[in-house]
Amino acid sequence: MKFKKYLLLGLITVLWSCKSASNQNVSKNDNMPKNVILLIGDGTGLSQISSAFFFKETAPNYGRFNHIGLIKTSSAIEDVTDSAASGTAFASGIKTYNGAIGVAIDSTEVATIVEIATPKNIKTGVVSTSSIVHATPASFYAHALRRGYYEEIASDMVASDIDFFSGGGTKFYTKRKDGRDLLAELKAKNFIVDTTKLGDFNSIKSYSKVGYLFGPEHMPPTAKGRGDYLPKATQLGIDFLKKDNSNFFLMVEGSQVDWGGHANDADYLISELIDFDDAIGKALDFAERDGNTLVVVTADHETGGFTLASKTKKTEDGREYSDYSETEGIFSTGGHSATLIPVFAYGPGAEEFSGIYENTEIFHKIMKLTKWKNSK
Protein backbone atom coordinates (compact mmCIF):
# COMPACT_ATOMS: atom_id res chain seq x y z
CA MET A 1 0.00 0.00 0.00
CA LYS A 2 2.85 2.34 0.93
CA PHE A 3 4.54 1.54 -2.40
CA LYS A 4 1.40 2.59 -4.35
CA LYS A 5 1.19 5.74 -2.26
CA TYR A 6 4.80 6.70 -3.02
CA LEU A 7 4.34 5.79 -6.69
CA LEU A 8 1.30 8.09 -6.94
CA LEU A 9 3.17 10.88 -5.17
CA GLY A 10 6.11 10.49 -7.54
CA LEU A 11 3.83 10.56 -10.59
CA ILE A 12 2.15 13.75 -9.37
CA THR A 13 5.58 15.34 -8.82
CA VAL A 14 6.72 14.44 -12.36
CA LEU A 15 3.52 15.75 -13.91
CA TRP A 16 3.76 18.99 -11.93
CA SER A 17 7.38 19.44 -13.03
CA CYS A 18 6.40 18.95 -16.67
CA LYS A 19 3.59 21.47 -16.32
CA SER A 20 5.91 24.01 -14.69
CA ALA A 21 8.52 23.52 -17.43
CA SER A 22 5.80 23.88 -20.06
CA ASN A 23 4.56 27.09 -18.45
CA GLN A 24 8.12 28.46 -18.36
CA ASN A 25 8.54 27.72 -22.07
CA VAL A 26 5.24 29.44 -22.90
CA SER A 27 6.24 32.44 -20.84
CA LYS A 28 9.63 32.65 -22.52
CA ASN A 29 8.22 32.29 -26.03
CA ASP A 30 5.47 34.82 -25.35
CA ASN A 31 7.88 37.37 -23.90
CA MET A 32 7.47 40.62 -25.82
CA PRO A 33 10.48 42.87 -26.41
CA LYS A 34 10.76 45.92 -24.19
CA ASN A 35 13.36 47.54 -26.44
CA VAL A 36 13.88 47.55 -30.22
CA ILE A 37 17.08 48.40 -32.08
CA LEU A 38 16.55 48.71 -35.84
CA LEU A 39 19.76 48.90 -37.86
CA ILE A 40 19.50 49.95 -41.52
CA GLY A 41 22.49 49.54 -43.80
CA ASP A 42 21.58 51.96 -46.58
CA GLY A 43 22.14 50.33 -49.97
CA THR A 44 23.15 47.01 -48.42
CA GLY A 45 22.20 43.90 -50.37
CA LEU A 46 23.37 40.33 -49.93
CA SER A 47 26.65 40.84 -51.81
CA GLN A 48 27.50 43.84 -49.65
CA ILE A 49 26.87 41.70 -46.55
CA SER A 50 28.91 38.86 -48.07
CA SER A 51 31.91 41.16 -48.35
CA ALA A 52 32.25 41.18 -44.55
CA PHE A 53 32.85 37.42 -44.64
CA PHE A 54 35.71 37.87 -47.10
CA PHE A 55 37.30 41.15 -46.02
CA LYS A 56 36.65 41.66 -42.31
CA GLU A 57 39.57 40.58 -40.15
CA THR A 58 37.29 39.37 -37.34
CA ALA A 59 34.14 37.24 -37.47
CA PRO A 60 31.24 39.29 -38.91
CA ASN A 61 28.40 40.03 -36.51
CA TYR A 62 25.96 39.19 -39.31
CA GLY A 63 26.92 35.57 -38.60
CA ARG A 64 25.42 35.73 -35.10
CA PHE A 65 21.78 35.63 -36.29
CA ASN A 66 19.60 32.52 -36.55
CA HIS A 67 16.42 34.14 -37.89
CA ILE A 68 16.71 35.52 -41.43
CA GLY A 69 14.10 36.69 -43.94
CA LEU A 70 13.77 38.70 -47.14
CA ILE A 71 11.84 41.88 -47.92
CA LYS A 72 10.43 43.25 -51.17
CA THR A 73 11.40 46.90 -51.42
CA SER A 74 9.40 48.47 -54.28
CA SER A 75 7.67 51.75 -53.42
CA ALA A 76 3.99 52.45 -54.06
CA ILE A 77 4.63 53.61 -57.62
CA GLU A 78 8.15 52.61 -58.61
CA ASP A 79 9.68 49.13 -58.85
CA VAL A 80 12.96 50.57 -57.56
CA THR A 81 12.60 52.41 -54.27
CA ASP A 82 14.57 55.29 -52.85
CA SER A 83 15.57 55.72 -49.19
CA ALA A 84 12.69 58.06 -48.38
CA ALA A 85 9.89 55.72 -49.48
CA SER A 86 11.64 52.76 -47.90
CA GLY A 87 12.36 54.65 -44.67
CA THR A 88 8.69 55.61 -44.48
CA ALA A 89 7.74 51.96 -45.00
CA PHE A 90 9.90 50.97 -42.01
CA ALA A 91 8.85 53.89 -39.81
CA SER A 92 5.12 54.01 -40.55
CA GLY A 93 4.15 50.75 -42.25
CA ILE A 94 2.82 52.20 -45.51
CA LYS A 95 3.93 52.25 -49.14
CA THR A 96 4.43 55.72 -50.57
CA TYR A 97 6.09 57.47 -53.50
CA ASN A 98 9.84 57.94 -53.89
CA GLY A 99 10.97 61.09 -52.11
CA ALA A 100 8.20 61.08 -49.49
CA ILE A 101 9.11 61.49 -45.82
CA GLY A 102 6.41 60.37 -43.38
CA VAL A 103 3.54 61.02 -45.78
CA ALA A 104 1.24 58.68 -47.68
CA ILE A 105 0.81 58.62 -51.44
CA ASP A 106 -2.00 61.20 -51.08
CA SER A 107 0.43 63.50 -49.17
CA THR A 108 -1.32 63.07 -45.80
CA GLU A 109 0.91 62.63 -42.76
CA VAL A 110 1.30 59.16 -41.28
CA ALA A 111 2.36 58.38 -37.70
CA THR A 112 5.99 57.34 -37.24
CA ILE A 113 7.42 54.91 -34.69
CA VAL A 114 8.77 57.86 -32.68
CA GLU A 115 5.30 59.43 -32.57
CA ILE A 116 3.68 56.11 -31.65
CA ALA A 117 6.20 55.10 -28.99
CA THR A 118 6.83 58.29 -27.05
CA PRO A 119 3.30 58.64 -25.59
CA LYS A 120 3.87 55.14 -24.12
CA ASN A 121 6.93 56.46 -22.22
CA ILE A 122 9.26 54.71 -24.67
CA LYS A 123 12.52 56.62 -25.18
CA THR A 124 13.49 57.11 -28.82
CA GLY A 125 16.64 57.90 -30.79
CA VAL A 126 18.20 57.97 -34.26
CA VAL A 127 21.86 57.64 -35.27
CA SER A 128 23.27 58.16 -38.76
CA THR A 129 26.54 58.72 -40.62
CA SER A 130 24.77 61.10 -43.01
CA SER A 131 23.06 64.34 -42.15
CA ILE A 132 20.46 63.65 -39.47
CA VAL A 133 17.87 65.24 -41.79
CA HIS A 134 18.70 62.82 -44.60
CA ALA A 135 15.97 60.49 -45.89
CA THR A 136 16.35 57.45 -43.64
CA PRO A 137 16.68 59.10 -40.21
CA ALA A 138 14.16 61.79 -41.17
CA SER A 139 11.51 59.17 -41.92
CA PHE A 140 11.36 58.28 -38.23
CA TYR A 141 10.48 61.74 -36.87
CA ALA A 142 9.50 64.06 -39.75
CA HIS A 143 6.86 64.69 -42.41
CA ALA A 144 7.79 66.27 -45.75
CA LEU A 145 6.45 66.03 -49.28
CA ARG A 146 10.03 65.87 -50.60
CA ARG A 147 13.14 64.46 -49.00
CA GLY A 148 15.13 67.53 -50.03
CA TYR A 149 13.15 69.88 -47.76
CA TYR A 150 15.97 69.71 -45.24
CA GLU A 151 15.16 72.86 -43.28
CA GLU A 152 11.55 71.77 -42.87
CA ILE A 153 12.74 68.34 -41.70
CA ALA A 154 15.12 69.92 -39.17
CA SER A 155 12.18 71.92 -37.81
CA ASP A 156 10.26 68.68 -37.41
CA MET A 157 13.15 67.33 -35.34
CA VAL A 158 12.70 70.21 -32.90
CA ALA A 159 8.94 69.66 -32.78
CA SER A 160 9.31 65.91 -32.21
CA ASP A 161 9.63 64.16 -28.86
CA ILE A 162 12.83 62.34 -29.78
CA ASP A 163 15.31 61.88 -26.91
CA PHE A 164 18.65 61.17 -28.60
CA PHE A 165 20.12 61.87 -32.03
CA SER A 166 23.56 61.80 -33.59
CA GLY A 167 24.69 62.60 -37.13
CA GLY A 168 25.71 65.48 -39.39
CA GLY A 169 23.94 68.61 -40.51
CA THR A 170 24.64 71.73 -38.42
CA LYS A 171 23.86 74.07 -41.32
CA PHE A 172 20.22 73.00 -41.36
CA TYR A 173 19.90 74.11 -37.74
CA THR A 174 21.86 77.37 -37.72
CA LYS A 175 22.41 78.77 -41.24
CA ARG A 176 18.80 78.78 -42.32
CA LYS A 177 16.89 80.88 -44.82
CA ASP A 178 14.24 81.67 -42.20
CA GLY A 179 16.85 82.91 -39.70
CA ARG A 180 15.78 80.50 -36.96
CA ASP A 181 18.40 79.12 -34.56
CA LEU A 182 17.22 75.56 -34.06
CA LEU A 183 20.06 74.76 -31.67
CA ALA A 184 18.68 77.40 -29.33
CA GLU A 185 15.19 75.96 -29.81
CA LEU A 186 16.47 72.47 -28.97
CA LYS A 187 18.11 73.85 -25.85
CA ALA A 188 14.77 75.36 -24.84
CA LYS A 189 13.35 71.83 -25.07
CA ASN A 190 15.95 70.56 -22.56
CA PHE A 191 18.36 69.27 -25.21
CA ILE A 192 22.10 69.37 -24.73
CA VAL A 193 23.57 69.51 -28.24
CA ASP A 194 27.29 68.91 -28.82
CA THR A 195 28.84 69.86 -32.18
CA THR A 196 32.41 68.91 -31.30
CA LYS A 197 32.67 65.24 -30.29
CA LEU A 198 30.79 62.28 -28.92
CA GLY A 199 30.68 62.34 -25.15
CA ASP A 200 30.91 59.34 -22.88
CA PHE A 201 27.92 58.12 -20.96
CA ASN A 202 29.04 59.60 -17.65
CA SER A 203 29.15 63.05 -19.20
CA ILE A 204 25.53 62.90 -20.43
CA LYS A 205 23.73 60.58 -18.01
CA SER A 206 22.21 63.42 -15.99
CA TYR A 207 20.60 65.04 -19.06
CA SER A 208 17.05 64.36 -20.25
CA LYS A 209 17.74 64.82 -23.98
CA VAL A 210 21.00 64.73 -25.94
CA GLY A 211 21.94 65.48 -29.55
CA TYR A 212 25.17 65.41 -31.56
CA LEU A 213 25.70 67.26 -34.83
CA PHE A 214 29.04 66.92 -36.59
CA GLY A 215 29.88 69.02 -39.62
CA PRO A 216 27.77 71.29 -41.83
CA GLU A 217 26.13 68.41 -43.70
CA HIS A 218 27.29 64.78 -43.88
CA MET A 219 30.00 63.05 -41.89
CA PRO A 220 33.19 61.94 -43.68
CA PRO A 221 33.74 58.28 -44.66
CA THR A 222 35.05 56.03 -41.91
CA ALA A 223 38.35 55.69 -43.77
CA LYS A 224 38.75 59.49 -44.06
CA GLY A 225 38.36 60.77 -40.53
CA ARG A 226 35.11 59.40 -39.11
CA GLY A 227 36.83 56.38 -37.60
CA ASP A 228 34.68 54.20 -35.34
CA TYR A 229 32.02 56.85 -34.75
CA LEU A 230 29.09 54.59 -35.71
CA PRO A 231 29.66 51.73 -33.23
CA LYS A 232 30.49 54.28 -30.51
CA ALA A 233 27.36 56.34 -31.22
CA THR A 234 25.29 53.14 -31.23
CA GLN A 235 26.61 52.16 -27.82
CA LEU A 236 26.14 55.67 -26.45
CA GLY A 237 22.57 55.79 -27.75
CA ILE A 238 21.77 52.47 -26.07
CA ASP A 239 23.35 53.54 -22.77
CA PHE A 240 21.54 56.87 -22.75
CA LEU A 241 18.11 55.61 -23.75
CA LYS A 242 18.09 52.72 -21.28
CA LYS A 243 19.18 54.81 -18.28
CA ASP A 244 16.65 54.95 -15.45
CA ASN A 245 15.53 51.48 -16.63
CA SER A 246 13.63 53.06 -19.52
CA ASN A 247 12.37 51.04 -22.48
CA PHE A 248 13.50 52.38 -25.85
CA PHE A 249 13.50 52.36 -29.65
CA LEU A 250 16.74 53.18 -31.49
CA MET A 251 17.27 53.40 -35.25
CA VAL A 252 20.88 53.21 -36.47
CA GLU A 253 21.76 53.87 -40.10
CA GLY A 254 24.98 52.98 -41.85
CA SER A 255 24.38 55.60 -44.54
CA GLN A 256 27.49 55.44 -46.64
CA VAL A 257 27.44 51.82 -47.80
CA ASP A 258 24.97 53.33 -50.26
CA TRP A 259 27.38 56.06 -51.29
CA GLY A 260 30.12 53.54 -52.02
CA GLY A 261 27.62 51.75 -54.26
CA HIS A 262 26.63 54.93 -56.10
CA ALA A 263 30.30 55.73 -56.66
CA ASN A 264 31.05 52.15 -57.78
CA ASP A 265 33.88 52.26 -55.24
CA ALA A 266 34.30 48.79 -53.75
CA ASP A 267 36.87 49.84 -51.14
CA TYR A 268 34.60 52.63 -49.88
CA LEU A 269 31.58 50.31 -49.79
CA ILE A 270 33.38 47.49 -47.97
CA SER A 271 34.94 49.74 -45.32
CA GLU A 272 31.51 51.23 -44.58
CA LEU A 273 29.90 47.79 -44.45
CA ILE A 274 32.50 46.58 -41.96
CA ASP A 275 31.91 49.69 -39.84
CA PHE A 276 28.16 49.01 -39.91
CA ASP A 277 28.82 45.41 -38.89
CA ASP A 278 30.72 46.71 -35.86
CA ALA A 279 27.63 48.73 -34.89
CA ILE A 280 25.53 45.56 -35.23
CA GLY A 281 27.92 43.95 -32.76
CA LYS A 282 27.23 46.65 -30.16
CA ALA A 283 23.48 46.10 -30.50
CA LEU A 284 23.78 42.32 -30.26
CA ASP A 285 26.12 42.46 -27.26
CA PHE A 286 23.58 44.57 -25.39
CA ALA A 287 20.63 42.40 -26.48
CA GLU A 288 22.38 39.24 -25.31
CA ARG A 289 23.00 40.73 -21.86
CA ASP A 290 19.58 42.34 -21.57
CA GLY A 291 17.32 39.51 -22.74
CA ASN A 292 14.42 41.86 -23.49
CA THR A 293 15.70 43.58 -26.63
CA LEU A 294 14.77 42.82 -30.23
CA VAL A 295 17.48 43.60 -32.79
CA VAL A 296 16.44 43.85 -36.45
CA VAL A 297 19.01 44.46 -39.19
CA THR A 298 18.04 45.17 -42.77
CA ALA A 299 18.45 47.69 -45.62
CA ASP A 300 16.22 50.07 -47.53
CA HIS A 301 17.42 48.78 -50.92
CA GLU A 302 20.54 47.59 -52.72
CA THR A 303 22.82 50.08 -54.49
CA GLY A 304 25.22 49.57 -57.36
CA GLY A 305 24.20 46.09 -58.49
CA PHE A 306 27.23 45.04 -56.46
CA THR A 307 28.59 41.52 -56.61
CA LEU A 308 31.68 39.66 -55.49
CA ALA A 309 33.24 38.13 -58.60
CA SER A 310 36.40 36.18 -59.20
CA LYS A 311 39.33 38.51 -59.70
CA THR A 312 40.30 39.18 -63.32
CA LYS A 313 44.01 38.73 -64.00
CA LYS A 314 46.29 38.55 -67.02
CA THR A 315 48.76 35.94 -68.12
CA GLU A 316 52.27 36.89 -69.19
CA ASP A 317 51.12 37.02 -72.80
CA GLY A 318 48.27 39.41 -71.95
CA ARG A 319 45.30 37.03 -71.94
CA GLU A 320 42.66 37.71 -69.26
CA TYR A 321 41.46 34.93 -66.95
CA SER A 322 39.35 34.60 -63.81
CA ASP A 323 41.27 33.73 -60.67
CA TYR A 324 38.78 31.83 -58.50
CA SER A 325 41.08 32.05 -55.47
CA GLU A 326 40.44 35.82 -55.11
CA THR A 327 37.36 38.02 -55.19
CA GLU A 328 36.76 41.63 -56.16
CA GLY A 329 33.74 43.89 -56.07
CA ILE A 330 32.14 44.79 -59.39
CA PHE A 331 29.04 46.85 -60.21
CA SER A 332 26.25 46.81 -62.77
CA THR A 333 24.72 50.26 -62.10
CA GLY A 334 25.37 53.57 -60.41
CA GLY A 335 21.87 53.58 -58.95
CA HIS A 336 19.60 51.42 -56.84
CA SER A 337 18.35 47.96 -57.75
CA ALA A 338 15.12 46.10 -56.99
CA THR A 339 16.69 42.96 -55.54
CA LEU A 340 15.18 41.38 -52.41
CA ILE A 341 16.90 42.50 -49.21
CA PRO A 342 17.88 40.29 -46.25
CA VAL A 343 16.44 40.83 -42.76
CA PHE A 344 18.24 39.53 -39.67
CA ALA A 345 16.58 39.34 -36.24
CA TYR A 346 17.65 38.46 -32.71
CA GLY A 347 15.78 38.50 -29.41
CA PRO A 348 12.15 38.13 -28.31
CA GLY A 349 9.97 37.58 -31.37
CA ALA A 350 12.89 37.20 -33.78
CA GLU A 351 11.22 34.23 -35.49
CA GLU A 352 8.52 36.63 -36.77
CA PHE A 353 11.03 38.06 -39.25
CA SER A 354 11.63 34.83 -41.17
CA GLY A 355 10.03 34.40 -44.60
CA ILE A 356 9.49 36.75 -47.54
CA TYR A 357 7.32 39.83 -47.14
CA GLU A 358 6.92 43.52 -47.98
CA ASN A 359 9.20 46.08 -46.32
CA THR A 360 6.17 47.59 -44.57
CA GLU A 361 5.95 44.41 -42.49
CA ILE A 362 9.06 45.44 -40.55
CA PHE A 363 6.93 48.16 -38.93
CA HIS A 364 3.90 45.93 -38.44
CA LYS A 365 5.92 43.09 -36.92
CA ILE A 366 7.56 45.50 -34.46
CA MET A 367 4.14 46.90 -33.52
CA LYS A 368 2.69 43.40 -33.11
CA LEU A 369 5.51 42.23 -30.85
CA THR A 370 5.82 45.35 -28.69
CA LYS A 371 2.12 46.24 -28.66
CA TRP A 372 3.19 49.90 -28.66
CA LYS A 373 0.50 50.82 -31.17
CA ASN A 374 -2.33 49.27 -29.18
CA SER A 375 -1.25 49.86 -25.57
CA LYS A 376 -2.35 52.94 -23.63
Side-chain angles (χ1 to χ4, degrees):
M1 193 70 177
K2 283 185 178 180
F3 174 75
K4 289 183 178 178
K5 190 175 180 180
Y6 289 138
L7 183 61
L8 181 61
L9 182 62
L11 183 60
I12 291 170
T13 301
V14 170
L15 290 172
W16 178 257
S17 297
C18 290
K19 183 179 180 182
S20 298
S22 177
N23 286 341
Q24 288 174 4
N25 288 336
V26 169
S27 175
K28 183 177 180 181
N29 291 336
D30 286 353
N31 184 27
M32 69 179 188
K34 295 180 179 178
N35 314 307
V36 177
I37 305 173
L38 174 62
L39 297 105
I40 300 170
D42 200 309
T44 300
L46 184 57
S47 288
Q48 283 86 344
I49 294 165
S50 300
S51 69
F53 291 84
F54 287 90
F55 297 102
K56 191 174 185 183
E57 294 179 357
T58 56
N61 290 295
Y62 275 107
R64 296 165 64 179
F65 294 92
N66 291 324
H67 297 285
I68 303 169
L70 293 168
I71 52 171
K72 295 176 276 185
T73 63
S74 297
S75 64
I77 300 172
E78 300 89 353
D79 288 339
V80 181
T81 191
D82 79 333
S83 296
S86 190
T88 300
F90 294 149
S92 298
I94 60 107
K95 293 277 189 180
T96 190
Y97 59 89
N98 282 356
I101 299 288
V103 296
I105 197 166
D106 63 359
S107 301
T108 57
E109 293 185 2
V110 290
T112 70
I113 289 181
V114 168
E115 292 166 337
I116 292 166
T118 50
K120 316 296 191 301
N121 296 316
I122 307 298
K123 299 295 184 181
T124 59
V126 292
V127 172
S128 181
T129 57
S130 68
S131 161
I132 204 66
V133 298
H134 215 230
T136 301
S139 297
F140 286 84
Y141 63 81
H143 306 278
L145 297 179
R146 294 292 172 193
R147 59 183 290 175
Y149 295 170
Y150 295 131
E151 292 194 358
E152 178 182 327
I153 291 167
S155 299
D156 282 354
M157 164 73 83
V158 177
S160 77
D161 290 319
I162 207 159
D163 300 288
F164 179 92
F165 66 86
S166 185
T170 55
K171 76 176 188 179
F172 305 113
Y173 290 79
T174 57
K175 297 180 179 180
R176 297 170 55 86
K177 294 176 183 177
D178 59 12
R180 291 170 63 187
D181 182 351
L182 296 192
L183 294 187
E185 293 183 28
L186 284 167
K187 185 177 180 181
K189 290 192 66 174
N190 297 318
F191 261 97
I192 297 297
V193 181
D194 194 327
T195 60
T196 58
K197 64 178 181 178
L198 277 177
D200 57 34
F201 175 63
N202 286 332
S203 68
I204 63 172
K205 65 182 180 181
S206 62
Y207 302 134
S208 59
K209 292 177 179 285
V210 172
Y212 294 96
L213 287 172
F214 303 118
E217 193 164 356
H218 304 304
M219 300 186 70
T222 189
K224 296 183 179 180
R226 196 179 78 237
D228 58 356
Y229 154 82
L230 188 60
K232 284 184 174 179
T234 301
Q235 185 64 64
L236 189 60
I238 292 169
D239 291 340
F240 182 77
L241 294 173
K242 75 177 181 68
K243 74 186 183 78
D244 305 322
N245 295 317
S246 298
N247 299 333
F248 68 87
F249 169 80
L250 176 65
M251 191 289 295
V252 177
E253 184 197 24
S255 319
Q256 298 188 34
V257 180
D258 175 66
W259 302 353
H262 281 300
N264 284 187
D265 185 332
D267 290 339
Y268 184 10
L269 182 156
I270 292 167
S271 64
E272 293 294 327
L273 187 281
I274 290 172
D275 180 58
F276 180 64
D277 186 74
D278 288 339
I280 294 171
K282 296 296 185 183
L284 286 175
D285 289 348
F286 170 75
E288 288 174 355
R289 294 191 304 269
D290 178 67
N292 296 304
T293 299
L294 171 66
V295 177
V296 180
V297 180
T298 189
D300 46 2
H301 52 73
E302 191 277 340
T303 303
F306 179 70
T307 191
L308 291 171
S310 57
K311 195 162 189 175
T312 301
K313 294 185 177 180
K314 288 186 177 182
T315 62
E316 291 183 0
D317 60 1
R319 289 185 298 108
E320 287 190 350
Y321 71 97
S322 297
D323 185 346
Y324 277 37
S325 65
E326 291 187 59
T327 61
E328 63 179 349
I330 61 174
F331 300 86
S332 64
T333 178
H336 300 171
S337 71
T339 184
L340 298 184
I341 294 296
V343 181
F344 302 79
Y346 173 89
E351 63 278 1
E352 287 280 337
F353 293 86
S354 299
I356 302 175
Y357 42 90
E358 295 289 347
N359 55 1
T360 49
E361 285 300 304
I362 297 291
F363 169 87
H364 293 299
K365 290 175 187 294
I366 291 173
M367 291 299 109
K368 174 186 174 182
L369 291 167
T370 60
K371 298 181 171 59
W372 288 345
K373 195 170 185 178
N374 300 322
S375 60
K376 294 182 180 180

